[in-house]
Amino acid sequence: MTEHPGRITREDVAHVARLARLRLTDDELDLYTGQLGVILDHAADVASLDLDGVAPTAHAMAVTNVLRSDTPRPGLDRDEVLAAAPEVEQHRFRVPRILGEAP
Amino acid sequence: MDRYQGGGVVTEGWELVIGLEVHCELRTETKLFCGCRNLFGDEPNSNVCPVCLGLPGSLPVLNQRAVELAMAIGTALHCDIRPSTFHRKNYFYPDQAKDYQISQYDEPINVDGWLDLPDGFRVRVERAHLEEDTGKTTHAGASGRIHGADYSLVDYNRSGVPLVEIVSAPDMRTAVQARAYATELRAILIASGASDGKMEEGSMRVDANVSVRRSTDATFGTRCEIKNLNSVRSLGRAIDYEAQRQVALLESGGVVEQQTRHWDEGTGRTETLRSKEEAYDYRYFREPDLVPVVPDAEWKAAVADTLGLMPAQRRARLVELLSGGNGAGGNDGDGDGDGELRVDQIATVVDLGLDDLVVGAVAAGVPATLALARTANEAATDAEAARRLDGSSYVALLTLEASGSLSATQAKVVLGDLLLAGGGDPAMLAKEKGFEAMSADSLVETVGQAVAAEPDAWARYCDGEDKLAQVFVGKVMKATRGQANGKAVVAELQRLRG
Amino acid sequence: MSEASSVAELATAVRNGTRSASEVLEAHLAEIDESEPSIHAFNLVTGDEARRQAAAVDAVVASGGDPGLLAGVPVALKDNLCTRGIPTTCSSRILEGWLPPYDATVVTRLREAGAVMVGKTNMDEFAMGSSTETSATGPTRNPCDLSRVPGGSSGGSAAAVAAGFAPLALGSDTGGSIRQPAALCGVVGMKPTYGTVSRYGLVAFASSLDQIGPFAGSVADAALCFDVIGGHDEADSTSLNRPSPRLLSVIDDGVEGMTIGVLTEFLDGADPVIAERTRMAAEALASAGARVEEVSVPEVALALSAYYLIAPAEASSNLARYDGVRFGLRVDAEDTVAMNTATRSAGFGAEVKRRIMLGTYALSAGYMDAYYGKALRVRTLIIEGFSRAYQRCDVLLGPTTPTTAFPLGAKVGDPMTMYLSDVCTIPTNLAGHPAISVPFGTDDGGLPVGVQLLAPALAESTLVRVAAVVEAAAPGWTGTRGVGS
C-alpha cells in the first residue's frame, strides 16, 4: 500500500480555484470542499493501490506516427474569426491589461 | 585569437556556470498542428484556423516536415533520436490560444547530444524537443511595454508555429563560450535547413541559465534565467552583467534567488520581472489528442541523408583548401593578421552557405585566397543572389582577375552585374563597361609618371622601404580609375628599381 | 407517415421518390411543435435550415441523383457538435451566442448522406452530468414520464428519438452519456470503439474517453447511422485508419456459436427488476444458440474512481480555453486575470466548476502521482480484466444502469450519488471498447429498462449481431420505436 494523500482542505480548494481562474464565495468554498472531499474519499480505492509494476494507459488505442503532410490549407476568414471575439481592435483580439509576463 | 569580443571576465575565486535554452522556429510551410501558413509577418489574424485559434472541437494533427526538421537538428547535434510523446503544459495567458501549450515533456524526440565549439570545447546537449509557439501580444499605451500598458492586442498568426527547444547542459564557464555556442548552434540550424536563425526577428531565441559558485564549491549555485536576448552580443553582455551581479550579491552576504530576469539592452542590466501571477503549476499530462512519434531506423537514415555537411566540416574543408594542399592556395602574406582575417572570412562564407562557390572556384584553378576574399567580401553582400549564382560565371570572373586581365576594382563591378543577372559571361560584361586590361606600354607610362611625381617616396622605396610601393599603386589606380592591375604595377616598380 | 418504418426504409422511400424529404421533415416538425414545450429536448430547433436541406434532398431526387444512405432522414444533434453558423452552446452560458465557423466531421458526413438536421439537443453542461439537469437552458424531461429525468448527458438526443422528434440523433459518450440516457428513455444507444468516429468538431470533455455515437429506434437504425458517420478522418489524430464500417450488412447474422458472458459485477449493484431483465436477455441469447455463462471482471469496481480522476483532469485542461478572449462570453474586468476569472465564474455552472477543480487538483503538484497517475494505471488493469474475459467470451452482457429513470431533482444535490448512475457504463470508456444499450421491457412502473452489450475493440459487427437478437426478444418489441409517429 502506498500512502494516501490527506483530505482536501479549504485552502487546497481555494488554490485550485485560483489555478483554474474561478472565483468562489465563502459558501461555495465550504460546499466544494465538502463535495470534493467525498469524491476523493471514494477515489481512495484507487489512490491507495500499489501499482508500481503497472504501466499507465493514456490512450486506449495504441497508434503511432499519425502525421500530416506540410501542405498549406485555407484557414478561416478573418472577419468571421473576429466577429466572434468579445472585443477587437486593429484586427486583433483586445484584452484588458496584462499584469505578468508569460512564463 | 579571440573572435568573440568581450566576456570571459570572472571575478577571482569565482566560477561562472552557464546553460543555454535555445528556441528556434522551424522553416516549414505550415504550422505544427494545422495547415495554416507558417508566416506571421502577414496581416494580423490572417493565417488562423479553428486549431491554432483553440476553438472548441478542434484537434491537432502533427506536421511531418516539422518532425523531420527536429530529427535533422537532433542528427546534427549527435543526439539519440527517440520515440517521443506530447504533453500539455497548462497555464492561462492570452497569447496561448488553448490556454495550454502542446510540448514534448518527459519523452522528447532528441536526447543526449553534443555540440563542439570551434576551439574544440564540447558542450553537451541534454535535449532538443518539439513544441508550438504562442501568438503575439502588442501592448497599447505610452510605453509600448507590458508594464503600464492600458490594454493589449493579440494576433494568433504565430500561434502553433513549430519550435524546437534545444537545451544545453550547464557546461559553459565563460560568456565567450556561451557566445561561441550560440553562434555555432545558429550556423548548424541554418545549415540543416531547420531555421533561418534570425535572432533579431525572434526566429532564434536564446535564454541563459546563469549561476556562480566559489571555485572550491562542488555544487552549482542558484541560477537565474535571463530572457530577452536579441543578439549574440547581448547574450555575452547579459551573462557578464549577471555574473557580476550574483558575485557582488554573494560577497556582500546576500543570496541569489531563483528567478527569471529580463535583459535590458538600453541600460545594460538584467531586471527581475515583478509578477502578480501565482506560482505556476503546469500540471503536465499526456496530450490525449496526439499519438506517439516513433521514428524507425529507416526514417532516421532518410533524414540523415538529407543533411549536408555541417558548418564545422565545411569550415575544415575551406581551411584545407587555404593551407594550399592542392597548390592553389597561394602564400602571399600569410601572417597572423591575415590568419585571423581568413578565419572570419571562412566563418562568413560558411554562415551564408557560400562555401560551395569557393570550393568550386578553387577546384577550377582560382587561387584559394582570392576565391575566399571575393566570396566573403563581395558575394556575401547579397548572399541570396550569390547562392543562386551560376558557378561557371563566377569561376570565369575570378580567373580573369587572377590572370590580371581585370583589376580587383573591375572584377568587383562585374561581380555586381553577375549577381543581379544570376550569371553571364564576365568577359563580355567587362568589355561592355570598357574594362580592358591596360596595355603593357600604357602601364609602363603611367607608372613612370607616378614615380616622377613622388621623387622623395621613390628614393625611399629604392632604399628598401617596400611598403611605399602602395603610394605608387594608389596613384596609378587613381590615374587609371582602377583599371590597372595592382600586382602588375608592383612588378613594374620592382623592375624600375632594378 | 402513419405506419412505423426503419430509417433504411425511410431513406429508400425518399431516394426512390415515393416520399419526399420535405414531407417527412414536416411530420417531424409537427411532432416537435406539439410535444417539445413539455419535453425541452432541444436547445434550438433549426426548422428553416432543415427545410432548406430537405428541399435540396428532394431536388437531387427530382434530378435523378442519389442523395445518399440517409436521404431525408431527420437527425437531431447534441449541442456539443459544431455546426457552421448555427449556435453550439454545450448548454453552457459561456458559449452563448457563439457561431462555430466550421462543421464537425460527423455533421459533414450526415449532410453528405442526405440527412436533414432538425436541431441541437439539450445536454448536461459540457456533457458533465447524468440527468441533463446541469444544462444552463433547464432540464430535459423524459418522454416516458415527464416528472423524471431522461438521463444524461445526451438526454436531449435520447428524448428526441424517444418522443419521435427525429428517428436518429447523435450524442457523445464519455462515461455513458449515450447508453445511460438511451436506457432511461427506452431507445437504442451505441458507443463505438474509441477512434472509429471522428471527434473533429466535438467540443471536448475528456479527450481520451469521448466518442460520438448514434441514438435510434432500433439496432439496425443505429448500425446504419454508425456506417455513415464512422470511418477514418485525417483531422483527428486518434481516428483509426481502417475501412469504413458496414454493420448493416451483418446485423442479421445471429449469435449461433457465440459465447456471451453475463458480467456479475454489473448485476450485483442493479435494481432487482433490472437484474431480472438482464437475465431474461441472457436466456433469449441462449435460446438463439449462444453459449451463456457468468463472467467476473473484478477490476471494473475501480473504474468509477479512475474515471472521476481522469475525465475531470482532461476536462480541466480542455475547458481552459473558455477565457473570454477569442469567442463566447466575456465579463469585463480591470485586468486579464480578473477578466478570465469573472468570465469563467459567471459562465460555468456548478457541476462544471466542480469537475474543473477536481481535475486541477488531481493534476496539481504533489497530487499528480497519487491521483491521475494511479488512475492511468487502473485503466491498464481494467483493459487487462476485459481482455481476460474476452478470451472466453465474444460479448459481455449486463445492465446499462443500476436504476430506471429517477425523478427530476432527486440526485442533483449529491454529486457522488449522481456519479454512481454511470457505474455500469464507465468501464467501457476507460477501455476504449464499443458497447450498446438496447431497451428490454420496463420496470413495474412502466419505465424503460436497458440492457447493455459490451465487445472488444473494433468488434462492432459482433456487437450489433448480438444486440439485434436481444432486441427481437425484448418484451413489447414490434419492429421499430419512435419512427414515423
mmCIF file of all heavy atoms in Angstrom, chain A residues 2 20-21 23 32 35 42 45 47 49 51 54-55 57 80 84 87 94 96-97, chain C residues 84 305 324-327 330 335-336 340 344-345 350 354 361 374 376-377 380:
data_model
loop_
_atom_site.group_PDB
_atom_site.id
_atom_site.type_symbol
_atom_site.label_atom_id
_atom_site.label_comp_id
_atom_site.label_asym_id
_atom_site.label_seq_id
_atom_site.Cartn_x
_atom_site.Cartn_y
_atom_site.Cartn_z
ATOM 1 N N THR A 2 0.505 2.172 -0.811
ATOM 2 C CA THR A 2 1.232 3.444 -0.775
ATOM 3 C C THR A 2 0.391 4.452 -0.005
ATOM 4 O O THR A 2 -0.799 4.242 0.226
ATOM 5 C CB THR A 2 1.490 3.978 -2.199
ATOM 6 O OG1 THR A 2 0.246 4.040 -2.871
ATOM 7 C CG2 THR A 2 2.429 3.066 -2.946
ATOM 8 N N ALA A 20 -7.414 27.539 -11.711
ATOM 9 C CA ALA A 20 -8.398 27.326 -12.773
ATOM 10 C C ALA A 20 -9.129 28.611 -13.139
ATOM 11 O O ALA A 20 -10.057 28.584 -13.944
ATOM 12 C CB ALA A 20 -9.393 26.259 -12.350
ATOM 13 N N ARG A 21 -8.699 29.725 -12.558
ATOM 14 C CA ARG A 21 -9.355 31.016 -12.808
ATOM 15 C C ARG A 21 -10.849 30.950 -12.515
ATOM 16 O O ARG A 21 -11.676 31.258 -13.380
ATOM 17 C CB ARG A 21 -9.102 31.501 -14.240
ATOM 18 C CG ARG A 21 -7.632 31.639 -14.598
ATOM 19 C CD ARG A 21 -7.154 33.079 -14.495
ATOM 20 N NE ARG A 21 -5.718 33.167 -14.258
ATOM 21 C CZ ARG A 21 -4.817 33.529 -15.177
ATOM 22 N NH1 ARG A 21 -5.181 33.833 -16.379
ATOM 23 N NH2 ARG A 21 -3.552 33.616 -14.851
ATOM 24 N N ARG A 23 -13.612 32.098 -9.355
ATOM 25 C CA ARG A 23 -13.769 32.819 -8.092
ATOM 26 C C ARG A 23 -14.890 32.151 -7.311
ATOM 27 O O ARG A 23 -15.975 31.900 -7.832
ATOM 28 C CB ARG A 23 -14.113 34.285 -8.350
ATOM 29 C CG ARG A 23 -14.119 35.151 -7.085
ATOM 30 C CD ARG A 23 -14.411 36.612 -7.407
ATOM 31 N NE ARG A 23 -15.593 36.728 -8.250
ATOM 32 C CZ ARG A 23 -15.622 37.403 -9.396
ATOM 33 N NH1 ARG A 23 -14.560 38.032 -9.839
ATOM 34 N NH2 ARG A 23 -16.729 37.454 -10.114
ATOM 35 N N TYR A 32 -17.825 23.183 -1.899
ATOM 36 C CA TYR A 32 -16.956 22.399 -2.776
ATOM 37 C C TYR A 32 -15.929 21.608 -1.963
ATOM 38 O O TYR A 32 -15.559 20.498 -2.347
ATOM 39 C CB TYR A 32 -16.252 23.295 -3.794
ATOM 40 C CG TYR A 32 -17.171 23.769 -4.911
ATOM 41 C CD1 TYR A 32 -17.328 25.123 -5.198
ATOM 42 C CD2 TYR A 32 -17.873 22.852 -5.677
ATOM 43 C CE1 TYR A 32 -18.156 25.551 -6.222
ATOM 44 C CE2 TYR A 32 -18.715 23.267 -6.702
ATOM 45 C CZ TYR A 32 -18.858 24.622 -6.972
ATOM 46 O OH TYR A 32 -19.682 25.034 -7.992
ATOM 47 N N GLN A 35 -17.823 18.530 -0.960
ATOM 48 C CA GLN A 35 -18.153 17.648 -2.091
ATOM 49 C C GLN A 35 -16.909 16.999 -2.695
ATOM 50 O O GLN A 35 -16.893 15.794 -2.976
ATOM 51 C CB GLN A 35 -18.903 18.441 -3.169
ATOM 52 C CG GLN A 35 -20.318 18.807 -2.745
ATOM 53 C CD GLN A 35 -21.034 19.669 -3.772
ATOM 54 O OE1 GLN A 35 -20.394 20.338 -4.586
ATOM 55 N NE2 GLN A 35 -22.359 19.666 -3.724
ATOM 56 N N HIS A 42 -13.963 8.565 -2.135
ATOM 57 C CA HIS A 42 -14.325 7.429 -2.978
ATOM 58 C C HIS A 42 -13.133 6.984 -3.818
ATOM 59 O O HIS A 42 -12.920 5.785 -4.033
ATOM 60 C CB HIS A 42 -15.504 7.788 -3.881
ATOM 61 C CG HIS A 42 -16.109 6.610 -4.579
ATOM 62 N ND1 HIS A 42 -15.599 6.118 -5.752
ATOM 63 C CD2 HIS A 42 -17.146 5.810 -4.240
ATOM 64 C CE1 HIS A 42 -16.308 5.059 -6.121
ATOM 65 N NE2 HIS A 42 -17.256 4.851 -5.228
ATOM 66 N N ASP A 45 -9.865 4.241 -3.087
ATOM 67 C CA ASP A 45 -9.619 2.858 -3.509
ATOM 68 C C ASP A 45 -8.559 2.806 -4.604
ATOM 69 O O ASP A 45 -7.772 1.878 -4.665
ATOM 70 C CB ASP A 45 -10.924 2.163 -3.970
ATOM 71 C CG ASP A 45 -11.629 2.884 -5.124
ATOM 72 O OD1 ASP A 45 -11.192 3.990 -5.504
ATOM 73 O OD2 ASP A 45 -12.615 2.329 -5.641
ATOM 74 N N ALA A 47 -6.355 5.600 -5.172
ATOM 75 C CA ALA A 47 -5.171 6.319 -4.705
ATOM 76 C C ALA A 47 -4.312 5.470 -3.778
ATOM 77 O O ALA A 47 -3.105 5.678 -3.664
ATOM 78 C CB ALA A 47 -5.596 7.614 -4.012
ATOM 79 N N LEU A 49 -3.847 2.184 -3.984
ATOM 80 C CA LEU A 49 -3.306 0.966 -4.585
ATOM 81 C C LEU A 49 -1.802 1.086 -4.812
ATOM 82 O O LEU A 49 -1.300 2.168 -5.097
ATOM 83 C CB LEU A 49 -3.976 0.701 -5.943
ATOM 84 C CG LEU A 49 -5.439 0.281 -5.931
ATOM 85 C CD1 LEU A 49 -5.963 0.216 -7.363
ATOM 86 C CD2 LEU A 49 -5.602 -1.071 -5.254
ATOM 87 N N LEU A 51 0.639 0.297 -7.425
ATOM 88 C CA LEU A 51 0.570 -0.058 -8.847
ATOM 89 C C LEU A 51 1.905 0.169 -9.540
ATOM 90 O O LEU A 51 1.957 0.419 -10.743
ATOM 91 C CB LEU A 51 -0.520 0.781 -9.528
ATOM 92 C CG LEU A 51 -1.946 0.558 -9.011
ATOM 93 C CD1 LEU A 51 -2.908 1.574 -9.624
ATOM 94 C CD2 LEU A 51 -2.417 -0.856 -9.310
ATOM 95 N N VAL A 54 2.603 -1.579 -12.777
ATOM 96 C CA VAL A 54 1.604 -1.485 -13.847
ATOM 97 C C VAL A 54 1.889 -0.257 -14.708
ATOM 98 O O VAL A 54 2.082 0.835 -14.185
ATOM 99 C CB VAL A 54 0.184 -1.378 -13.240
ATOM 100 C CG1 VAL A 54 -0.866 -1.316 -14.345
ATOM 101 C CG2 VAL A 54 -0.075 -2.540 -12.305
ATOM 102 N N ALA A 55 1.930 -0.447 -15.998
ATOM 103 C CA ALA A 55 2.177 0.690 -16.897
ATOM 104 C C ALA A 55 0.914 1.542 -17.019
ATOM 105 O O ALA A 55 -0.194 1.001 -17.004
ATOM 106 C CB ALA A 55 2.579 0.178 -18.274
ATOM 107 N N THR A 57 -1.960 3.759 -18.891
ATOM 108 C CA THR A 57 -2.585 3.812 -20.216
ATOM 109 C C THR A 57 -3.125 5.216 -20.432
ATOM 110 O O THR A 57 -4.059 5.626 -19.765
ATOM 111 C CB THR A 57 -3.759 2.815 -20.313
ATOM 112 O OG1 THR A 57 -3.245 1.490 -20.177
ATOM 113 C CG2 THR A 57 -4.456 2.935 -21.670
ATOM 114 N N GLU A 80 -14.821 36.671 -40.140
ATOM 115 C CA GLU A 80 -15.651 35.715 -39.406
ATOM 116 C C GLU A 80 -15.023 35.409 -38.036
ATOM 117 O O GLU A 80 -15.707 35.335 -37.018
ATOM 118 C CB GLU A 80 -15.797 34.428 -40.232
ATOM 119 C CG GLU A 80 -16.847 33.488 -39.698
ATOM 120 C CD GLU A 80 -17.017 32.231 -40.580
ATOM 121 O OE1 GLU A 80 -16.291 32.059 -41.564
ATOM 122 O OE2 GLU A 80 -17.893 31.427 -40.256
ATOM 123 N N ALA A 84 -16.506 36.821 -33.899
ATOM 124 C CA ALA A 84 -16.834 36.013 -32.723
ATOM 125 C C ALA A 84 -16.194 36.568 -31.449
ATOM 126 O O ALA A 84 -16.530 36.143 -30.345
ATOM 127 C CB ALA A 84 -16.364 34.573 -32.935
ATOM 128 N N GLU A 87 -14.005 41.482 -28.052
ATOM 129 C CA GLU A 87 -13.531 42.841 -28.312
ATOM 130 C C GLU A 87 -12.355 42.791 -29.293
ATOM 131 O O GLU A 87 -11.452 41.976 -29.140
ATOM 132 C CB GLU A 87 -13.089 43.509 -27.003
ATOM 133 C CG GLU A 87 -13.111 45.015 -27.074
ATOM 134 C CD GLU A 87 -12.776 45.667 -25.723
ATOM 135 O OE1 GLU A 87 -12.658 44.934 -24.720
ATOM 136 O OE2 GLU A 87 -12.620 46.884 -25.697
ATOM 137 N N ARG A 94 -8.681 42.138 -28.483
ATOM 138 C CA ARG A 94 -8.306 43.075 -27.430
ATOM 139 C C ARG A 94 -8.583 42.468 -26.061
ATOM 140 O O ARG A 94 -9.658 41.901 -25.825
ATOM 141 C CB ARG A 94 -9.084 44.376 -27.590
ATOM 142 C CG ARG A 94 -8.740 45.386 -26.510
ATOM 143 C CD ARG A 94 -9.383 46.726 -26.768
ATOM 144 N NE ARG A 94 -9.358 47.490 -25.528
ATOM 145 C CZ ARG A 94 -9.476 48.804 -25.465
ATOM 146 N NH1 ARG A 94 -9.629 49.501 -26.557
ATOM 147 N NH2 ARG A 94 -9.448 49.412 -24.301
ATOM 148 N N PRO A 96 -7.936 43.170 -21.618
ATOM 149 C CA PRO A 96 -7.538 44.188 -20.636
ATOM 150 C C PRO A 96 -6.051 44.062 -20.284
ATOM 151 O O PRO A 96 -5.390 43.117 -20.700
ATOM 152 C CB PRO A 96 -8.405 43.886 -19.410
ATOM 153 C CG PRO A 96 -9.361 42.827 -19.799
ATOM 154 C CD PRO A 96 -8.900 42.213 -21.071
ATOM 155 N N ARG A 97 -5.581 44.986 -19.469
ATOM 156 C CA ARG A 97 -4.176 44.988 -19.033
ATOM 157 C C ARG A 97 -3.705 43.585 -18.650
ATOM 158 O O ARG A 97 -4.440 42.827 -18.021
ATOM 159 C CB ARG A 97 -4.017 45.880 -17.803
ATOM 160 C CG ARG A 97 -4.074 47.358 -18.104
ATOM 161 C CD ARG A 97 -3.668 48.167 -16.904
ATOM 162 N NE ARG A 97 -4.542 47.906 -15.745
ATOM 163 C CZ ARG A 97 -4.102 47.774 -14.508
ATOM 164 N NH1 ARG A 97 -2.810 47.857 -14.249
ATOM 165 N NH2 ARG A 97 -4.947 47.566 -13.519
ATOM 166 N N ARG C 84 -21.621 24.818 -38.510
ATOM 167 C CA ARG C 84 -21.197 26.096 -39.053
ATOM 168 C C ARG C 84 -22.352 27.110 -39.080
ATOM 169 O O ARG C 84 -23.400 26.864 -39.668
ATOM 170 C CB ARG C 84 -20.654 25.900 -40.461
ATOM 171 C CG ARG C 84 -20.185 27.194 -41.015
ATOM 172 C CD ARG C 84 -19.436 27.111 -42.286
ATOM 173 N NE ARG C 84 -18.967 28.480 -42.501
ATOM 174 C CZ ARG C 84 -17.905 28.827 -43.145
ATOM 175 N NH1 ARG C 84 -17.149 27.908 -43.670
ATOM 176 N NH2 ARG C 84 -17.565 30.094 -43.265
ATOM 177 N N SER C 305 -13.890 5.347 -9.766
ATOM 178 C CA SER C 305 -12.883 6.238 -9.163
ATOM 179 C C SER C 305 -11.873 6.709 -10.189
ATOM 180 O O SER C 305 -11.502 7.893 -10.219
ATOM 181 C CB SER C 305 -12.142 5.519 -8.032
ATOM 182 O OG SER C 305 -13.032 5.257 -6.980
ATOM 183 N N GLY C 324 -12.711 34.110 -22.374
ATOM 184 C CA GLY C 324 -13.233 35.443 -22.682
ATOM 185 C C GLY C 324 -12.394 36.234 -23.665
ATOM 186 O O GLY C 324 -12.605 37.429 -23.835
ATOM 187 N N VAL C 325 -11.411 35.586 -24.319
ATOM 188 C CA VAL C 325 -10.530 36.319 -25.219
ATOM 189 C C VAL C 325 -10.989 36.234 -26.676
ATOM 190 O O VAL C 325 -11.089 37.247 -27.366
ATOM 191 C CB VAL C 325 -9.071 35.815 -25.107
ATOM 192 C CG1 VAL C 325 -8.171 36.520 -26.131
ATOM 193 C CG2 VAL C 325 -8.542 36.054 -23.688
ATOM 194 N N ARG C 326 -11.257 35.036 -27.168
ATOM 195 C CA ARG C 326 -11.447 34.845 -28.612
ATOM 196 C C ARG C 326 -12.895 34.639 -29.051
ATOM 197 O O ARG C 326 -13.234 34.873 -30.204
ATOM 198 C CB ARG C 326 -10.618 33.647 -29.085
ATOM 199 C CG ARG C 326 -9.123 33.859 -29.048
ATOM 200 C CD ARG C 326 -8.366 32.549 -29.125
ATOM 201 N NE ARG C 326 -8.783 31.663 -28.052
ATOM 202 C CZ ARG C 326 -8.367 31.744 -26.798
ATOM 203 N NH1 ARG C 326 -7.467 32.667 -26.477
ATOM 204 N NH2 ARG C 326 -8.813 30.954 -25.862
ATOM 205 N N PHE C 327 -13.728 34.114 -28.159
ATOM 206 C CA PHE C 327 -15.108 33.778 -28.546
ATOM 207 C C PHE C 327 -15.930 33.639 -27.273
ATOM 208 O O PHE C 327 -15.380 33.522 -26.177
ATOM 209 C CB PHE C 327 -15.143 32.459 -29.340
ATOM 210 C CG PHE C 327 -14.496 31.328 -28.590
ATOM 211 C CD1 PHE C 327 -15.211 30.586 -27.673
ATOM 212 C CD2 PHE C 327 -13.153 31.032 -28.769
ATOM 213 C CE1 PHE C 327 -14.615 29.567 -26.942
ATOM 214 C CE2 PHE C 327 -12.540 30.016 -28.048
ATOM 215 C CZ PHE C 327 -13.275 29.280 -27.140
ATOM 216 N N ARG C 330 -17.775 37.131 -22.349
ATOM 217 C CA ARG C 330 -16.749 37.843 -21.597
ATOM 218 C C ARG C 330 -17.430 38.685 -20.536
ATOM 219 O O ARG C 330 -18.396 39.392 -20.840
ATOM 220 C CB ARG C 330 -15.907 38.763 -22.474
ATOM 221 C CG ARG C 330 -15.013 39.687 -21.619
ATOM 222 C CD ARG C 330 -14.221 40.709 -22.398
ATOM 223 N NE ARG C 330 -13.175 40.067 -23.171
ATOM 224 C CZ ARG C 330 -12.227 40.780 -23.813
ATOM 225 N NH1 ARG C 330 -12.195 42.082 -23.737
ATOM 226 N NH2 ARG C 330 -11.327 40.143 -24.524
ATOM 227 N N ASP C 335 -8.194 43.745 -15.344
ATOM 228 C CA ASP C 335 -7.022 43.160 -15.991
ATOM 229 C C ASP C 335 -7.399 41.783 -16.525
ATOM 230 O O ASP C 335 -8.499 41.290 -16.269
ATOM 231 C CB ASP C 335 -5.838 43.062 -15.015
ATOM 232 C CG ASP C 335 -6.158 42.190 -13.835
ATOM 233 O OD1 ASP C 335 -6.191 40.956 -14.019
ATOM 234 O OD2 ASP C 335 -6.401 42.716 -12.727
ATOM 235 N N THR C 336 -6.482 41.169 -17.250
ATOM 236 C CA THR C 336 -6.830 39.934 -17.949
ATOM 237 C C THR C 336 -7.109 38.781 -16.989
ATOM 238 O O THR C 336 -8.037 38.003 -17.208
ATOM 239 C CB THR C 336 -5.734 39.581 -18.981
ATOM 240 O OG1 THR C 336 -5.794 40.550 -20.023
ATOM 241 C CG2 THR C 336 -5.965 38.216 -19.591
ATOM 242 N N ASN C 340 -10.569 36.874 -17.071
ATOM 243 C CA ASN C 340 -10.693 35.413 -17.214
ATOM 244 C C ASN C 340 -11.536 34.854 -16.066
ATOM 245 O O ASN C 340 -12.446 34.041 -16.279
ATOM 246 C CB ASN C 340 -9.324 34.714 -17.123
ATOM 247 C CG ASN C 340 -8.369 35.032 -18.253
ATOM 248 O OD1 ASN C 340 -7.150 34.950 -18.092
ATOM 249 N ND2 ASN C 340 -8.902 35.390 -19.411
ATOM 250 N N ARG C 344 -15.237 33.108 -16.387
ATOM 251 C CA ARG C 344 -15.401 31.680 -16.105
ATOM 252 C C ARG C 344 -16.331 31.453 -14.915
ATOM 253 O O ARG C 344 -17.120 30.504 -14.901
ATOM 254 C CB ARG C 344 -14.031 31.036 -15.883
ATOM 255 C CG ARG C 344 -13.194 31.028 -17.167
ATOM 256 C CD ARG C 344 -11.719 30.745 -16.914
ATOM 257 N NE ARG C 344 -11.466 29.443 -16.326
ATOM 258 C CZ ARG C 344 -11.454 28.288 -16.984
ATOM 259 N NH1 ARG C 344 -11.697 28.287 -18.291
ATOM 260 N NH2 ARG C 344 -11.202 27.146 -16.372
ATOM 261 N N SER C 345 -16.239 32.351 -13.936
ATOM 262 C CA SER C 345 -17.093 32.190 -12.760
ATOM 263 C C SER C 345 -18.556 32.405 -13.109
ATOM 264 O O SER C 345 -19.444 31.734 -12.576
ATOM 265 C CB SER C 345 -16.667 33.176 -11.660
ATOM 266 O OG SER C 345 -15.315 32.941 -11.327
ATOM 267 N N ALA C 350 -22.321 24.983 -11.710
ATOM 268 C CA ALA C 350 -21.697 24.377 -10.532
ATOM 269 C C ALA C 350 -21.006 23.042 -10.841
ATOM 270 O O ALA C 350 -19.911 22.778 -10.347
ATOM 271 C CB ALA C 350 -22.751 24.176 -9.442
ATOM 272 N N ARG C 354 -17.092 22.222 -10.408
ATOM 273 C CA ARG C 354 -16.681 21.135 -9.517
ATOM 274 C C ARG C 354 -15.676 20.229 -10.235
ATOM 275 O O ARG C 354 -14.638 19.873 -9.699
ATOM 276 C CB ARG C 354 -17.927 20.352 -9.098
ATOM 277 C CG ARG C 354 -17.717 19.315 -8.043
ATOM 278 C CD ARG C 354 -19.012 19.068 -7.242
ATOM 279 N NE ARG C 354 -20.198 18.966 -8.073
ATOM 280 C CZ ARG C 354 -21.300 19.700 -7.900
ATOM 281 N NH1 ARG C 354 -21.390 20.575 -6.914
ATOM 282 N NH2 ARG C 354 -22.330 19.544 -8.703
ATOM 283 N N TYR C 361 -7.009 19.679 -9.289
ATOM 284 C CA TYR C 361 -6.411 19.106 -8.079
ATOM 285 C C TYR C 361 -5.698 17.796 -8.395
ATOM 286 O O TYR C 361 -4.561 17.561 -7.976
ATOM 287 C CB TYR C 361 -7.516 18.876 -7.043
ATOM 288 C CG TYR C 361 -7.031 18.376 -5.699
ATOM 289 C CD1 TYR C 361 -6.286 19.200 -4.859
ATOM 290 C CD2 TYR C 361 -7.341 17.092 -5.269
ATOM 291 C CE1 TYR C 361 -5.855 18.747 -3.628
ATOM 292 C CE2 TYR C 361 -6.919 16.637 -4.031
ATOM 293 C CZ TYR C 361 -6.169 17.467 -3.209
ATOM 294 O OH TYR C 361 -5.753 17.022 -1.993
ATOM 295 N N LYS C 374 -2.145 7.214 -10.770
ATOM 296 C CA LYS C 374 -2.736 5.929 -10.363
ATOM 297 C C LYS C 374 -3.915 5.572 -11.262
ATOM 298 O O LYS C 374 -4.091 4.417 -11.650
ATOM 299 C CB LYS C 374 -3.235 6.013 -8.914
ATOM 300 C CG LYS C 374 -2.132 6.014 -7.870
ATOM 301 C CD LYS C 374 -1.672 4.604 -7.542
ATOM 302 C CE LYS C 374 -0.493 4.612 -6.589
ATOM 303 N NZ LYS C 374 -0.859 5.079 -5.252
ATOM 304 N N LEU C 376 -4.432 6.253 -14.334
ATOM 305 C CA LEU C 376 -3.994 5.734 -15.640
ATOM 306 C C LEU C 376 -3.546 4.281 -15.528
ATOM 307 O O LEU C 376 -3.688 3.494 -16.467
ATOM 308 C CB LEU C 376 -2.845 6.577 -16.195
ATOM 309 C CG LEU C 376 -3.164 8.014 -16.601
ATOM 310 C CD1 LEU C 376 -1.939 8.658 -17.248
ATOM 311 C CD2 LEU C 376 -4.340 8.092 -17.557
ATOM 312 N N ARG C 377 -2.999 3.929 -14.378
ATOM 313 C CA ARG C 377 -2.575 2.533 -14.176
ATOM 314 C C ARG C 377 -3.786 1.627 -13.960
ATOM 315 O O ARG C 377 -3.812 0.484 -14.414
ATOM 316 C CB ARG C 377 -1.599 2.444 -13.001
ATOM 317 C CG ARG C 377 -0.251 3.062 -13.343
ATOM 318 C CD ARG C 377 0.727 3.073 -12.180
ATOM 319 N NE ARG C 377 2.088 3.246 -12.637
ATOM 320 C CZ ARG C 377 2.624 4.425 -12.967
ATOM 321 N NH1 ARG C 377 1.897 5.530 -12.858
ATOM 322 N NH2 ARG C 377 3.856 4.501 -13.407
ATOM 323 N N THR C 380 -5.128 0.537 -17.158
ATOM 324 C CA THR C 380 -4.443 -0.660 -17.671
ATOM 325 C C THR C 380 -5.043 -1.926 -17.062
ATOM 326 O O THR C 380 -5.292 -2.908 -17.768
ATOM 327 C CB THR C 380 -2.938 -0.577 -17.327
ATOM 328 O OG1 THR C 380 -2.442 0.686 -17.784
ATOM 329 C CG2 THR C 380 -2.157 -1.710 -17.970
#
